[in-house]
Amino acid sequence: MKGLMMDYPLTLTHFLERAAKLFPRKEIVSQLPSGTHRYTYADLHRRARRLASALERLGVRPGDRVATFAWNHHRHLELYFAVPGLGAVLHTLNIRLFPDQIAYIVNHAEDKLIVVDDSLLPVLEKLQDKLQGVQGYVVMADGPLPETTLAPVYSYEELVEQGDEAYEFPRLDEDDAAIMCYTSGTTGNPKGCLYSHKALVVHTLVECLPDCLGLSERDVVMPIVPMFHVNAWGLPFAATLVGAKQVHPGPFLHPRDVAALIQQERVTITAGVPTIWIGLYELLKTERYDLSSLRGIIVGGSAVPKSLIEGFERDFGLQVVQAWGMTEMSPLGTVSRPKSHLEATLPEEELLELRAKQGIPAPFVELRAVDDQGREVPWDGRTMGELQVRGPWIIREYYHDPRTREAFDRGWFRTGDVVTIDPEGYIRIVDRTKDLVKSGGEWISSVELENAIMAHPKVLEAAVIAIPHPKWQERPLAVVVPKDEFKGQITKREILEFLSGKFAKWWLPDDVVFVERLPKTSVGKFDKKALRKQFESYTWPPREEEGAD
Ligand code: AMP
């Protein structure tokens, strides 16, 4: 027997219409090269409708892919609602990918239009000969349209101006595709994920729960995570759904700009990868900002060093909340907040350990860890296994990609992350399957070593990679960036002594190399692939030196 409920599709359009009706004067602030731009949810709604009608006039039809090549700002937000709202698919292109990868993605997704920031035009201009199916480019600029070789080209502002304000978004099927995003991927070409309206709606509802990201109308939400990286982790949707004020940093991601914007707009919740917050933490040690409005810094995308969680709290009274997710998961998977009985009973140090774990699964995310033989491993906090997940906002396949086959195991999505799960259900990401150091048949977690090294007071950043070893197959090499004031004043011995006692002896890196900077991926994570390439011809130090440590 079926329930007797109204047939009411779960689509993103409702978020926008609700915010415009209930919070019409709530502000949306964008930091643009031309200055601070402010408008309201009423304006967002009005302009999104005009834009949708103009895009239809340009020939965009339901199911067509409309790509964006842009920073975080109000226009990108308008596209977030206008494109899925008219039944087309918003494809957010990662502006930091290599040109060839951008061309691959645009062609693979068969993008019809690309909407681009004027400041990013040069990248697309160089690529345009390779962008086969693109029928037009829409340029977002504050003043007159800049000169460009792209053709045909349209002005975003003119389209909005000429659009129809009386436009009504059509009724959509909740299973229709709304957004498309490619994973930057560590090997091979990027893979496409295609999110439905329903998946994003349910994801948003869960994300807003108090034990997940806990968003309310009272918040001022600033995603630093780019709108081209898994929908800025869903925050623009979540903020719109609850009617929170939004702040978008545009291209201004330097810690000084971030701190100033938090202070100026009284931001309460912000989110981004650890690199951003490591930079902010260092800045706050020497420059004063009033960040007292902040009640949560959501950090994910890579493991969050324990020292960072501890440092923010101890030195500045700021709370860091770690979350884990993936492009394939829209992206929310787990959030690390201590359960109340643990908070009440665990000593400080253990609570900190817990918050440095990736957390417990959000409602509707099911997870398990599986060993080499495909057997589920126990939730004992010790046994490692590959993390597999399933749930309503997890992809069931990659978009037109044969690599779907190896990505699934009997209905579960294989994350490629190696984890332990403790009896309370907290996962700890031990490594990527590809980044583990396999030493003498045992696994060493590069991530745990990195985090421990990054807790050293003289260290800014550290990455650990596997280097082939004649006896042990692979051994860990630590690549370390010292803080500016300690350049040339830090030794391998200091690092190894700092680590000893924290790990089994055989886990300790066989060598420590100091570098100026670490290569980062397009979304700001340590690029282990590039680092491995950089150290391709590295040879281990002579044995006696090895023994001396
Ligand atoms: P992406 O699809 O680019 O968001 O990358 C997803 C991958 O980032 C995951 O599979 C993890 O390997 C990594 N990741 C995301 N969040 C975290 C986290 N909090 N701790 C450790 N790794 C993370």
Side-chain angles (χ1 to χ4, degrees):
M1 197 152 123
K2 291 262 165 52
L4 297 172
M5 312 310 288
M6 279 187 188
D7 179 18
Y8 188 99
L10 302 176
T11 64
L12 295 172
T13 311
H14 174 76
F15 293 13
L16 177 62
E17 291 176 343
R18 178 176 193 271
K21 225 178 239 147
L22 300 178
F23 309 101
R25 283 180 295 280
K26 194 64 81 72
E27 259 189 324
I28 296 162
V29 181
S30 306
Q31 201 61 48
L32 303 175
S34 58
T36 308
H37 175 275
R38 291 172 193 280
Y39 74 174
T40 64
Y41 276 113
D43 297 320
L44 170 66
H45 187 214
R46 207 166 21 245
R47 283 174 52 98
R49 275 178 293 164
R50 286 172 169 269
L51 175 63
S53 75
L55 290 175
E56 276 188 359
R57 264 185 233 156
L58 268 187
V60 175
R61 296 285 165 260
D64 283 349
R65 268 76 70 205
V66 175
T68 55
F69 200 68
W71 297 102
N72 291 13
H73 46 56
H74 66 291
R75 295 188 178 102
H76 210 163
L77 187 65
E78 290 162 4
L79 287 151
Y80 259 49
F81 287 102
V83 175
L86 72 87
V89 181
L90 182 79
H91 176 196
T92 51
L93 293 167
N94 180 340
I95 62 176
R96 299 209 186 96
L97 287 182
F98 294 118
D100 279 352
Q101 285 181 314
I102 297 171
Y104 169 85
I105 291 176
V106 169
N107 293 330
H108 188 264
E110 299 177 85
D111 292 332
K112 192 166 187 176
L113 275 183
I114 303 183
V115 188
V116 50
D117 274 341
D118 56 351
S119 61
L120 299 170
L121 276 171
V123 188
L124 289 190
E125 283 167 350
K126 283 191 211 105
L127 275 179
Q128 63 180 314
D129 294 341
K130 295 189 180 151
L131 308 180
Q132 297 136 5
V134 178
Q135 293 172 17
Y137 298 87
V138 179
V139 181
M140 297 185 277
D142 278 336
L145 224 52
E147 284 286 306
T148 176
T149 55
L150 295 177
V153 69
Y154 308 92
S155 153
Y156 183 92
E157 285 305 317
E158 268 174 40
L159 289 180
V160 172
E161 211 166 286
Q162 291 154 10
D164 176 8
E165 202 165 307
Y167 176 87
E168 286 195 24
F169 287 109
R171 185 188 161 95
L172 302 170
D173 183 331
E174 62 187 18
D175 291 318
D176 284 347
I179 298 201
M180 182 172 214
C181 189
Y182 280 69
T183 64
S184 33
T186 43
T187 47
N189 279 321
K191 294 178 266 193
C193 300
L194 194 54
Y195 316 117
S196 67
H197 279 265
K198 182 170 68 187
L200 295 176
V201 167
V202 182
H203 178 271
T204 308
L205 290 171
V206 169
E207 186 165 271
C208 291
L209 290 174
D211 292 327
C212 288
L213 303 196
L215 254 57
S216 109
E217 177 266 331
R218 288 170 185 77
D219 279 309
V220 179
V221 181
M222 178 165 80
I224 298 291
V225 47
M227 284 184 169
F228 57 74
H229 187 201
V230 225
N231 318 324
W233 299 347
L235 284 166
F237 292 132
T240 306
L241 174 71
V242 299
K245 171 176 165 181
Q246 300 189 33
V247 181
H248 296 290
F252 303 102
L253 303 177
H254 187 278
R256 202 165 275 134
D257 300 319
V258 171
L261 205 52
I262 295 172
Q263 172 174 285
Q264 176 188 310
E265 300 302 327
R266 307 295 295 154
V267 169
T268 63
I269 292 187
T270 179
V273 292
T275 321
I276 298 273
W277 309 118
I278 292 172
L280 182 68
Y281 179 71
E282 288 304 311
L283 176 79
L284 293 182
K285 284 198 208 155
T286 53
E287 292 181 23
R288 281 182 71 84
Y289 292 88
D290 175 8
L291 305 188
S292 57
S293 56
L294 262 189
R295 63 182 190 86
I297 303 177
I298 314 289
V299 190
S302 322
V304 183
K306 195 168 73 179
S307 51
L308 192 71
I309 304 176
E310 192 178 21
F312 263 116
E313 194 146 303
R314 181 194 56 223
D315 300 338
F316 309 114
L318 294 175
Q319 204 201 13
V320 169
V321 177
Q322 174 160 209
W324 165 86
M326 298 184 78
T327 308
E328 290 87 340
M329 302 177 68
S330 304
L332 185 64
T334 64
V335 183
S336 198
R337 295 183 191 273
K339 297 181 191 172
S340 54
H341 76 276
L342 297 173
E343 202 157 50
T345 53
L346 287 184
E348 281 293 294
E349 181 54 31
E350 280 177 50
L351 271 180
L352 189 62
E353 290 285 343
L354 192 69
R355 291 171 56 202
K357 292 185 177 182
Q358 277 66 24
I360 59 169
F364 285 109
V365 173
E366 271 189 75
L367 53 79
R368 67 177 189 183
V370 165
D371 69 12
D372 285 351
Q373 271 84 49
R375 288 176 309 219
E376 200 174 335
V377 306
W379 289 25
D380 60 6
R382 274 179 294 123
T383 316
M384 295 185 202
E386 187 192 12
L387 182 62
Q388 302 191 340
V389 291
R390 60 184 186 194
W393 56 78
I394 297 165
I395 57 160
R396 72 158 181 262
E397 58 186 85
Y398 288 110
Y399 179 69
H400 294 175
D401 200 314
R403 288 171 292 182
T404 291
R405 217 170 307 121
E406 61 260 30
F408 290 86
D409 175 10
R410 296 160 287 170
W412 293 76
F413 174 70
R414 302 177 55 190
T415 64
D417 285 332
V418 179
V419 297
T420 59
I421 310 177
D422 73 18
E424 293 280 354
Y426 287 80
I427 67 163
R428 177 198 285 282
I429 306 265
V430 177
D431 224 326
R432 293 289 297 163
T433 41
K434 295 187 191 80
D435 294 338
L436 275 173
V437 184
K438 286 141 197 152
S439 170
E442 298 286 342
W443 290 353
I444 298 174
S445 158
S446 64
V447 174
E448 287 186 19
L449 287 173
E450 283 158 11
N451 286 341
I453 299 171
M454 284 193 276
H456 191 288
K458 293 184 180 175
V459 171
L460 183 68
E461 288 179 338
V464 170
I465 49 170
I467 297 281
H469 191 281
K471 181 161 172 206
W472 301 108
Q473 292 95 47
E474 287 178 356
R475 291 291 301 153
L477 170 74
V479 187
V480 175
V481 183
K483 285 183 184 159
D484 275 347
E485 61 271 35
F486 295 113
K487 281 203 176 128
Q489 293 177 43
I490 176 169
T491 62
K492 166 181 171 181
R493 180 173 290 278
E494 265 177 283
I495 298 283
L496 293 177
E497 273 171 10
F498 185 71
L499 294 179
S500 74
K502 297 190 174 81
F503 298 98
K505 200 163 182 309
W506 62 273
W507 268 50
L508 297 190
D510 284 16
D511 196 10
V512 181
V513 179
F514 295 97
V515 294
E516 284 283 314
R517 69 179 65 84
L518 289 171
K520 305 263 167 58
T521 68
S522 59
V523 287
K525 307 180 192 193
F526 296 149
D527 187 344
K528 299 269 183 91
K529 200 172 89 179
L531 199 60
R532 280 193 284 267
K533 185 128 193 64
Q534 196 175 319
F535 283 88
E536 218 167 27
S537 44
Y538 170 89
T539 49
W540 291 113
R543 273 192 79 87
E544 25 328 335
E545 201 186 312
E546 208 180 326
D549 290 307

